[in-house]
Amino acid sequence: MYSIALCDDEGKELDQIEGFLVSYQDRKQALEYRTERFTSAEELLHRIREEGYAPDILLLDIFMSGRTGIEAAKEVRKLGLCMPIIFLTTSTEFALEAYGVDAIQYLVKPLDGERFFHAMDSAIGQIRRLEESQV
């Protein structure tokens, strides 16, 4: 089972992302996952630092009150976590900076289902390759 962290400061965006994940799971019948929702970068980082939370995949908005998603991703990488990061945002402004934290995708809202599914395929593929290399 995969653990997927969703971080966006807007509840309706979190709902939409969860809806896309349900559709993705319907397509990939054998995929099992659980999600955890965070409404700020600070909340996510606190959980990672203080509780040792390490999701398999991080779906992260960039424009949030407080710390940005880019800042959160930099902190996640400094902590040594290498999970796939997919940015979901309203602007292309930070695309180059996003790849500086090894994001695997940068999707611009409003989200497109097919692009989202492709991003999830990439994330799952990266996790599986890592698991295979550790055997």
Side-chain angles (χ1 to χ4, degrees), residues 34-92:
R34 69 179 180 283
T35 60
E36 187 145 351
R37 295 166 63 131
F38 299 91
T39 56
S40 71
E42 290 86 358
E43 182 185 2
L44 170 68
L45 292 171
H46 174 79
R47 181 86 194 286
I48 290 170
R49 277 193 236 106
E50 303 303 319
E51 299 176 29
Y53 177 64
D56 296 306
I57 300 170
L58 179 54
L59 303 176
L60 187 60
D61 185 23
I62 290 180
F63 295 107
M64 296 182 282
S65 57
R67 283 185 159 181
T68 68
I70 294 288
E71 293 167 331
K74 287 178 181 178
E75 181 70 19
V76 163
R77 295 303 191 221
K78 282 182 189 175
L79 293 169
L81 299 174
C82 61
M83 82 282 285
I85 296 174
I86 300 170
F87 283 107
L88 312 168
T89 189
T90 57
S91 170
T92 59

Side-chain angles (χ1 to χ4, degrees), residues 63-128:
F63 295 107
M64 296 182 282
S65 57
R67 283 185 159 181
T68 68
I70 294 288
E71 293 167 331
K74 287 178 181 178
E75 181 70 19
V76 163
R77 295 303 191 221
K78 282 182 189 175
L79 293 169
L81 299 174
C82 61
M83 82 282 285
I85 296 174
I86 300 170
F87 283 107
L88 312 168
T89 189
T90 57
S91 170
T92 59
E93 180 181 352
F94 292 95
L96 292 177
E97 200 171 346
Y99 290 105
V101 293
D102 296 323
I104 63 166
Q105 282 286 339
Y106 188 98
L107 303 178
V108 178
K109 297 174 185 176
L111 296 177
D112 170 74
E114 290 305 314
R115 293 191 70 216
F116 181 84
F117 298 157
H118 174 75
M120 287 299 298
D121 285 343
S122 295
I124 299 295
Q126 181 177 331
I127 292 167
R128 288 184 176 153

